[in-house]
């Protein structure tokens, strides 16, 4: 089955700097790669996703890139703000409405 | 996205007892999943709740411990049976209303004493 590795486990950045979180997946059959943000005590919220037919997707300050050959994808947050502080999870799934396999998460702290 | 509710939002239970968690969605969805999130950890899939048939369980999770019902396309229940402190976790249902995009319920925070 699919396995998703996520790095780093913790990340601290100064407000205004960029943050990058990286994930690798094991199964080339996976074709959907979402990112979730989970604030303390809250449910995971889908913030951006990318499908295997696309190399990059951007939504305001966040962007995701996908390298199918290397089987890795990354989340980029620019101009970080204190409210970006949370745990971020990457995930992968197979075609169809299949369940997600999650990475272990990255705790991002944005220091004002 | 879908509007998903869970009941209860939290509970404190004694070991050896059982708790049933309800998940309600505001629209009909084919796929509904149950996940567990242990303290400080990632999300682990327990099972896929299939409408009209038995749930499909992941390795390490069994029906006797986590029986699931899915009577219709908007509702599911997960029961945590014969609980022990190791079952203390957040339990989340999720749905896929369209094309892989998965949305989570607010979760049920379970503490077993």
């Amino acid at each position: 089955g699919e396995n998703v590795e996520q790095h780093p486990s913790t990340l601290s950045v100064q407000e205004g700097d960029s943050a990058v979180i990286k994930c690798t997946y094991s199964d080339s059959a996976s074709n959907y790669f979402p990112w979730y943000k989970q604030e303390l005590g809250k449910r995971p919220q889908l913030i951006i996703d990318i499908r295997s037919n696309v190399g990059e997707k951007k939504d305001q300050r966040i962007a995701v890139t996908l390298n199918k050959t290397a089987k890795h994808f990354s989340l980029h947050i620019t101009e970080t703000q204190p409210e970006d502080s949370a745990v971020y999870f990457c995930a992968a799934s197979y075609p169809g409405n299949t369940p997600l396999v999650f990475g272990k998460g990255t705790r991002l702290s944005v220091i004002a | 996205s879908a509007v998903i509710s869970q009941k209860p939002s939290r509970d404190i239970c004694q070991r050896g007892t059982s708790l049933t968690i309800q998940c309600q969605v505001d629209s009909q969805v084919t796929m509904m999943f149950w996940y567990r999130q242990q303290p400080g950890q990632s999300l682990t899939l327990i099972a896929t709740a299939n409408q009209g048939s038995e749930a499909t369980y992941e390795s390490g999770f069994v029906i006797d411990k986590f029986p699931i019902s899915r009577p219709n396309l908007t509702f599911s229940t997960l029961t945590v049976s014969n609980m022990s402190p190791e079952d203390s976790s957040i339990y989340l249902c999720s749905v896929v209303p369209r094309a892989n995009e998965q949305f989570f319920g607010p979760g049920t925070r379970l503490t077993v004493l």
Side-chain angles (χ1 to χ4, degrees):
Chain A
E2 179 62 275
N3 181 54
V4 177
E5 300 281 341
Q6 183 172 347
H7 299 281
S9 57
T10 61
L11 179 61
S12 291
V13 299
Q14 293 290 326
E15 182 178 1
D17 287 350
S18 296
V20 180
I21 304 170
K22 299 182 179 182
C23 289
T24 60
Y25 60 100
S26 61
D27 195 335
S28 57
S30 291
N31 76 337
Y32 177 67
F33 308 95
W35 287 87
Y36 287 83
K37 175 183 181 182
Q38 188 174 33
E39 296 175 277
L40 190 63
K42 302 286 184 62
R43 76 185 84 185
Q45 295 277 8
L46 177 65
I47 57 171
I48 196 168
D49 57 13
I50 192 166
R51 300 179 191 274
S52 59
N53 59 345
V54 176
E56 183 173 359
K57 184 177 179 181
K58 190 173 182 180
D59 182 4
Q60 299 183 347
R61 294 187 298 108
I62 61 173
V64 57
T65 59
L66 171 65
N67 182 326
K68 285 192 297 183
T69 304
K71 295 205 284 285
H72 66 69
F73 57 111
S74 300
L75 177 71
H76 304 253
I77 306 174
T78 59
E79 301 173 24
T80 53
Q81 301 168 3
E83 50 265 39
D84 294 328
S85 297
V87 179
Y88 292 81
F89 293 99
C90 64
S93 71
Y94 297 116
N97 295 328
T98 55
L100 295 169
V101 176
F102 285 86
K104 291 190 182 302
T106 297
R107 182 174 300 277
L108 173 65
S109 299
V110 180
I111 304 163
Chain B
S1 65
V3 177
I4 309 165
S5 61
Q6 282 186 237
K7 290 180 183 179
S9 58
R10 59 178 62 230
D11 207 342
I12 301 173
C13 301
Q14 296 296 321
R15 68 172 68 207
T17 62
S18 297
L19 177 71
T20 295
I21 302 166
Q22 299 178 6
C23 179
Q24 180 76 52
V25 190
D26 68 339
S27 58
Q28 293 187 340
V29 291
T30 304
M31 306 305 295
M32 186 178 283
F33 306 106
W34 286 97
Y35 288 82
R36 180 175 74 181
Q37 187 174 29
Q38 294 178 300
Q41 303 295 313
S42 184
L43 292 90
T44 300
L45 180 68
I46 298 171
T48 301
N50 301 307
Q51 197 270 328
S53 64
E54 262 192 21
T56 306
Y57 290 85
E58 297 300 301
S59 175
F61 298 95
V62 295
I63 188 171
D64 289 347
K65 176 68 176 177
F66 296 102
I68 287 171
S69 78
R70 180 88 194 272
N72 57 54
L73 293 175
T74 64
F75 185 79
S76 178
T77 67
L78 168 75
T79 298
V80 186
S81 302
N82 188 24
M83 289 184 285
S84 67
E86 292 71 38
D87 294 319
S88 297
S89 289
I90 299 172
Y91 292 86
L92 300 116
C93 64
S94 72
V95 302
V96 185
R98 60 179 181 274
N100 290 97
E101 292 182 5
Q102 194 164 145
F103 298 95
F104 287 87
T108 296
R109 183 180 296 272
L110 171 62
T111 302
V112 184
L113 303 178

